[in-house]
Amino acid sequence: MNGAVEKATGGKGLLYQGAEWNFRVIRDCYDAIEEIAEEELGLDAFPNRIEVITSEQMLDVYTTSGMPLTYQHWSHGKRFVSHENAYRRGLMGLAYEVVINSNPCISYLMEENSATMQALVIAHAAFGHNHFFKNNRLFQEWTDPSQILNYLEFARGYIARCEEAHGQEAVERILDAAHALQNQGVHRHSGARRIDLRAEQDRARERRAHEDRSYNDLWRTLPVSEGAAPPREHERDALRRKFGLPEENILYFLEKHAPKLAAWEREIVRIVRLISQYFYPQPQLKLMNEGCATWVHDRIMTRLHELGRIDDAAFMEAIHSTTNVITQPGYEQGSTSFNPYALGFAMMKDIARVCVDPTEEDRRWSPDIAGNGDPLGTLRHAWAEYRDESFVLQFLSPRVMREFRMFRLLDDTREPYLLVDAIHDEHGYRDIRRTVAASYDPSTFYAELEIVDVDILGDRTLRLEHRTKSGQLLAESDMKLTLRGLANLWGYRVVLDEIDAPSGKVLASHEANASIGG
């Protein structure tokens, strides 16, 4: 079964009884949930588009990062087979829903869900996530949900035409290399802003024609002949500035300056880069996004029960599902990080509590919100103005630290023991909060790589540096494959130095040469 849900007006009694549902039940649930979300919680969401899909369709959504359409690539099929095998063998479950940051906001519901789960998912995704997507400042600055679906349609059609014109193998060679570098294909600084994807489509032909005419300008100088005086340092500096070096956005640099890329190859690199840029905010907001959506669905399902719209059995099912989602596995169970649903939900509940029923400890730690009597306004402000790192640094309270039994270990390799150096006291709480916040620092998600030089007048070797964290080098097998893909896009030799950031010492050096066919 696959269909779209439209709004309709339901009655004021029970929305449903039992586990069975139909589209009228979903419409009635949507209306009741929307009323609570907008009138009681003050949520402001994009228009919703809700689709009910099968488990196989959900697996297909998994392979494309939740997007309903994208270009073809062998990695999508590989992920589908992997997920399908694990699901059929009982090694993984499927999400009850997938929601897309688009306008209209698309929420996928599993047809195997019970009526209660369909209502919970609508509250969680169609209003919780949707409100967060629309109102969080980071999403507002970096993404334009009204354009992403049209751009994906353009990307799919463009790459399909490239495969027809140049062959599937040639297109996949470019895509493979670009995918390997997609985490190094985003602008990360606040000076950058979201890209007008509709204009990108409109200007694509003109831009490629212009680049065909202009990008070779920097390469018209022939390599220095034998016996000629080498360029002076200020000349090399001027050329580096002309290339915009150093440059951390590797795909952007290749798209603009790679000497041997054809216009269609350049456009494919650009497509991968722009889609990667669109997803850039999501890892920085995972904790808050899931915490917001879980708090919203918990509150809405509670209100539906209080208003007599769902019965005790449905409410108990909702509580059971929420409890499963917010379970925090212990370290002995193999968990090495906090469940974003668990910690995010706990912090949202704690903020609401501090606003209406603060303790003396809360008044010391959160004087700006303690007892302000406005939990909904405080939460909406937090959802709009923070990302995970700053949210934890501002709102993680001693009470939540105690609930999660947080402490900090110091692992000094020079000593034969582990030292517990932050416990539940005034100083320890602050150290723990800083350490937890640092684990959500965006710089921890990506290797710190940048292009630092290119031998413009010589053999055109491209030089990169990796600034290591605590001397931790890149995984060798992945690094070699990625470096080879980079060399193929660049067209010449590529050298990567891994640098110890504090001392500037070169810890390792790697190189790769371009090869025909990748």
Side-chain angles (χ1 to χ4, degrees), residues 243-297:
F243 273 89
L245 299 178
E247 174 60 70
E248 67 174 357
N249 191 329
I250 296 175
L251 287 184
Y252 176 82
F253 182 89
L254 294 171
E255 172 201 334
K256 298 301 181 184
H257 302 305
K260 294 185 177 181
L261 286 183
W264 66 270
E265 294 172 317
R266 224 172 279 278
E267 190 65 35
I268 288 178
V269 171
R270 186 177 186 85
I271 285 170
V272 173
R273 180 174 69 82
L274 294 184
I275 293 175
S276 299
Q277 188 75 65
Y278 191 82
F279 285 106
Y280 171 65
Q282 297 205 16
Q284 303 178 54
L285 296 163
K286 179 72 171 176
L287 175 79
M288 290 186 65
N289 201 351
E290 297 300 352
C292 166
T294 305
W295 187 90
V296 166
H297 91 234

Side-chain angles (χ1 to χ4, degrees), residues 374-393:
D374 185 18
L376 293 175
T378 303
L379 284 170
R380 289 196 300 266
H381 172 77
W383 295 338
E385 299 299 332
Y386 292 84
R387 66 181 185 188
D388 289 350
E389 180 191 17
S390 56
F391 177 71
V392 170
L393 200 57

Side-chain angles (χ1 to χ4, degrees), residues 165-462:
H166 307 286
Q168 186 175 20
E169 184 177 349
V171 171
E172 285 194 349
R173 180 178 65 85
I174 300 298
L175 282 174
D176 288 350
H179 283 177
L181 293 161
Q182 59 188 354
N183 286 337
Q184 274 70 48
V186 296
H187 294 295
R188 299 193 177 99
H189 301 295
S190 58
R193 287 295 182 265
R194 65 184 181 185
I195 298 166
D196 187 340
L197 295 176
R198 184 175 292 113
E200 288 296 323
Q201 298 174 59
D202 296 339
R203 292 198 304 263
R205 183 176 302 168
E206 292 83 355
R207 182 179 61 249
R208 292 195 300 274
H210 170 74
E211 288 172 356
D212 281 347
R213 294 190 301 269
S214 63
Y215 87 93
N216 276 330
D217 286 348
L218 292 171
W219 299 106
R220 288 175 183 168
T221 303
L222 295 176
V224 178
S225 59
E226 252 184 76
R232 283 172 279 186
E233 190 58 33
H234 74 274
E235 294 174 331
R236 296 183 62 87
D237 288 341
L239 288 170
R240 279 194 288 264
R241 285 195 297 273
K242 197 169 184 180
F243 273 89
L245 299 178
E247 174 60 70
E248 67 174 357
N249 191 329
I250 296 175
L251 287 184
Y252 176 82
F253 182 89
L254 294 171
E255 172 201 334
K256 298 301 181 184
H257 302 305
K260 294 185 177 181
L261 286 183
W264 66 270
E265 294 172 317
R266 224 172 279 278
E267 190 65 35
I268 288 178
V269 171
R270 186 177 186 85
I271 285 170
V272 173
R273 180 174 69 82
L274 294 184
I275 293 175
S276 299
Q277 188 75 65
Y278 191 82
F279 285 106
Y280 171 65
Q282 297 205 16
Q284 303 178 54
L285 296 163
K286 179 72 171 176
L287 175 79
M288 290 186 65
N289 201 351
E290 297 300 352
C292 166
T294 305
W295 187 90
V296 166
H297 91 234
D298 180 72
R299 184 63 191 142
I300 288 176
M301 297 305 288
T302 300
R303 287 295 291 147
L304 288 176
H305 183 244
E306 292 171 350
L307 295 170
R309 308 308 307 276
I310 59 175
D311 58 22
D312 292 347
F315 187 46
M316 290 301 295
E317 182 183 351
I319 291 174
H320 177 72
S321 174
T322 302
T323 302
N324 288 339
V325 166
I326 64 173
T327 297
Q328 174 61 54
Y331 185 79
E332 68 280 1
Q333 296 171 282
S335 175
T336 58
S337 61
F338 293 111
N339 176 358
Y341 294 87
L343 184 56
F345 180 54
M347 290 184 66
M348 303 307 169
K349 286 202 306 178
D350 191 63
I351 291 170
R353 177 193 62 78
V354 171
C355 290
V356 297
D357 187 24
T359 64
E360 284 305 312
E361 180 183 60
D362 296 325
R363 294 186 187 278
R364 292 196 313 272
W365 279 78
S366 304
D368 293 340
I369 67 171
N372 68 9
D374 185 18
L376 293 175
T378 303
L379 284 170
R380 289 196 300 266
H381 172 77
W383 295 338
E385 299 299 332
Y386 292 84
R387 66 181 185 188
D388 289 350
E389 180 191 17
S390 56
F391 177 71
V392 170
L393 200 57
Q394 180 70 23
F395 293 107
L396 181 61
S397 70
R399 179 166 176 161
V400 173
M401 294 183 216
R402 290 192 293 269
E403 288 177 0
F404 280 75
R405 301 175 183 177
M406 296 182 187
F407 60 91
R408 190 175 72 177
L409 284 174
L410 175 63
D411 184 5
D412 188 339
T413 57
R414 297 169 297 180
E415 301 292 346
Y417 54 80
L418 297 175
L419 175 65
V420 179
D421 73 335
I423 58 173
H424 293 173
D425 57 25
E426 195 78 8
H427 182 73
Y429 287 135
R430 297 188 186 280
D431 284 345
I432 291 170
R433 185 160 69 174
R434 282 193 293 267
T435 301
V436 175
S439 70
Y440 294 99
D441 184 341
S443 66
T444 64
F445 305 148
Y446 310 105
E448 189 177 336
L449 288 169
E450 63 179 4
I451 298 171
V452 294
D453 199 5
V454 55
D455 189 0
I456 302 166
L457 303 178
D459 63 3
R460 296 175 182 175
T461 293
L462 188 68

Side-chain angles (χ1 to χ4, degrees), residues 44-53 57-58 60-70 95-109 121-122 124-135 139 143-153 197 275 278-279 282 286 289-290 293 341:
D44 174 27
F46 292 122
N48 276 302
R49 178 176 143 196
I50 298 174
E51 297 191 4
V52 182
I53 62 177
Q57 288 171 316
M58 183 64 81
D60 194 45
V61 170
Y62 275 21
T63 68
T64 58
S65 302
M67 287 300 178
L69 70 163
T70 189
Y96 296 120
E97 47 75 31
V98 169
V99 61
I100 298 169
N101 178 22
S102 60
N103 183 9
C105 182
I106 302 174
S107 300
Y108 293 115
L109 283 62
V121 163
I122 290 171
H124 182 96
F127 290 95
H129 281 308
N130 189 345
H131 172 89
F132 194 86
F133 286 143
K134 184 176 182 181
N135 293 278
F139 278 119
T143 68
D144 187 345
S146 65
Q147 298 182 14
I148 185 60
L149 297 180
N150 287 334
Y151 187 75
L152 289 172
E153 180 68 37
L197 295 176
I275 293 175
Y278 191 82
F279 285 106
Q282 297 205 16
K286 179 72 171 176
N289 201 351
E290 297 300 352
Y341 294 87

Side-chain angles (χ1 to χ4, degrees), residues 458-497:
D459 63 3
R460 296 175 182 175
T461 293
L462 188 68
R463 294 189 175 275
L464 297 90
E465 286 184 0
H466 167 223
R467 296 282 173 172
T468 68
K469 297 179 176 68
S470 303
Q472 185 177 1
L473 302 181
L474 298 171
E476 186 172 1
S477 58
D478 292 343
M479 177 274 299
K480 286 183 177 179
L481 289 172
T482 303
L483 203 60
R484 188 186 310 162
L486 172 57
N488 287 332
L489 291 177
W490 177 243
Y492 295 94
R493 178 171 169 260
V494 173
V495 174
L496 169 65
D497 291 328

